């Protein structure tokens, strides 16, 4: 009996070497802890998202004011009217106030993400992407369009994005589709968006011509007849 116990003490459970068994249990325990932490982090993230979603703008501003961040809807509207770029304005607010919020972070739901959350809520209520050409909202609109069957998307919705691209080019002196937004292939996106537009009246053709005037890298094959008109007009100048 003592001999058997001696062998068991050397080999561990089920004849597995005790060192290997200890290593296995340690790895398994670590994985279980990591899994638990992942679930906990996911739960907390969902909880924070819910808190932010349910917080009104007024509550947001009141909470920010406790940390010396004096923002209001009027301030955001005025600042955006000057900059017309959500990501740049978010960066401006972060440079001013971000460290205050992130360093203290007494309330976990309130950190520097609050700026983008407020911008995302307030700006679309007061500004149209056709007017601002803001790449953040252009990509958001494209994302929304691409979530659906393109063949069923209202052409007016697509035209709105196309006009916003014209504004983006003209107001920012940008003439390459590749420069509209990182990680987005607007060359191919335009091809697909225009392909499903069936009402190709003179107004629509004029819009496509404006896009050709704005973007040097827009594919001539997207709308060959309009591209030809654009070239003829360009050569006459």
């Amino acid at each position: 009996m003592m001999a058997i116990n001696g062998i068991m003490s050397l080999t561990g459970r089920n004849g597995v070497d005790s060192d290997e068994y200890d290593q296995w249990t340690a790895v398994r325990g670590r994985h279980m802890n990591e899994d638990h932490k992942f679930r906990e982090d996911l739960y907390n993230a969902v909880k924070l998202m819910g808190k932010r979603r349910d917080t009104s703008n007024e509550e947001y501003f009141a909470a920010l004011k406790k940390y010396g961040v004096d923002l209001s809807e009027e301030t955001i509207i005025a600042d955006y009217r000057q900059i017309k770029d959500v990501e740049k304005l978010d960066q401006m607010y972060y440079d001013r106030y971000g460290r205050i919020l992130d360093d203290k972070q007494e309330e976990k739901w309130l950190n520097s993400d609050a700026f983008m959350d407020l911008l995302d809520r307030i700006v679309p209520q007061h500004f149209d992407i056709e007017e601002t050409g803001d790449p953040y909202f252009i990509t958001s609109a494209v994302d929304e369009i691409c979530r659906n069957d393109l063949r069923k998307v209202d052409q007016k919705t697509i035209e709105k994005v196309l006009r916003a691209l014209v504004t983006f080019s003209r107001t920012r002196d940008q003439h390459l589709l590749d420069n509209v937004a990182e990680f987005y292939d607007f060359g191919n996106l335009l091809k697909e968006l225009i392909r499903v537009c069936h009402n190709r009246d003179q107004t629509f053709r004029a819009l496509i011509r404006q896009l050709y005037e704005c973007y040097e890298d827009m594919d001539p094959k997207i709308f060959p007849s309009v591209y030809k008109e654009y070239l003829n007009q360009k050569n006459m100048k």
Side-chain angles (χ1 to χ4, degrees), residues 35-230:
D35 183 60
H36 175 74
K37 187 176 185 308
F38 171 77
R39 290 172 183 272
E40 187 178 19
D41 289 345
L42 183 61
Y43 171 78
N44 289 334
V46 172
K47 191 176 178 181
L48 287 177
M49 288 172 64
K51 168 65 177 174
R52 288 173 180 159
R53 184 193 62 234
D54 297 336
T55 300
S56 69
N57 292 351
E58 291 72 21
E59 289 172 323
Y60 246 134
F61 293 131
L64 287 169
K65 200 162 189 176
K66 293 178 184 177
Y67 297 96
V69 180
D70 192 13
L71 278 181
S72 66
E73 186 163 337
E74 292 74 20
T75 303
I76 288 174
I77 292 169
D79 289 341
Y80 185 79
R81 185 171 282 115
Q82 293 293 322
I83 297 175
K84 294 183 179 177
D85 190 309
V86 157
E87 291 183 339
K88 287 183 179 178
L89 187 54
D90 174 57
Q91 185 63 48
M92 186 181 88
Y93 289 152
Y94 178 80
D95 291 341
R96 286 183 189 172
Y97 310 115
R99 187 168 294 178
I100 298 172
L101 294 179
D102 290 344
D103 285 354
K104 292 184 178 179
Q105 207 171 8
E106 293 173 14
E107 300 175 77
K108 287 187 177 180
W109 69 274
L110 189 65
N111 55 31
S112 56
D113 291 339
F115 306 131
M116 182 58 83
D117 195 12
L118 285 166
L119 288 167
D120 212 7
R121 292 181 184 191
I122 293 169
V123 171
Q125 296 176 359
H126 299 275
F127 298 90
D128 195 286
I129 60 170
E130 297 170 80
E131 173 193 351
T132 65
D134 189 330
Y136 176 82
F137 289 115
I138 291 174
T139 53
S140 295
V142 168
D143 287 343
E144 186 63 33
I145 288 171
C146 292
R147 286 193 191 102
N148 303 295
D149 184 342
L150 279 180
R151 295 168 298 179
K152 297 179 181 178
V153 175
D154 188 344
Q155 182 167 327
K156 290 180 180 178
T157 303
I158 294 175
E159 289 178 4
K160 194 171 184 178
V161 171
L162 301 182
R163 282 191 287 271
L165 285 168
V166 171
T167 304
F168 170 83
S169 173
R170 290 176 175 174
T171 57
R172 292 161 174 79
D173 196 27
Q174 291 285 349
H175 303 288
L176 295 174
L177 288 166
D178 284 344
N179 291 342
V180 176
E182 199 174 4
F183 308 122
Y184 283 79
D185 183 356
F186 268 93
N188 281 319
L189 277 169
L190 269 187
K191 188 183 298 182
E192 291 304 309
L193 293 175
I194 293 171
R195 181 179 62 82
V196 297
C197 292
H198 300 296
N199 180 13
R200 302 192 167 194
D201 57 15
Q202 289 303 312
T203 302
F204 184 74
R205 292 174 68 89
L207 176 56
I208 302 303
R209 189 160 54 249
Q210 289 174 351
L211 285 166
Y212 276 122
E213 291 168 358
C214 288
Y215 294 102
E216 301 166 4
D217 56 345
M218 183 170 163
D219 188 349
K221 295 178 183 177
I222 290 178
F223 210 136
S225 60
V226 173
Y227 182 71
K228 188 176 180 180
E229 291 174 7
Y230 156 69

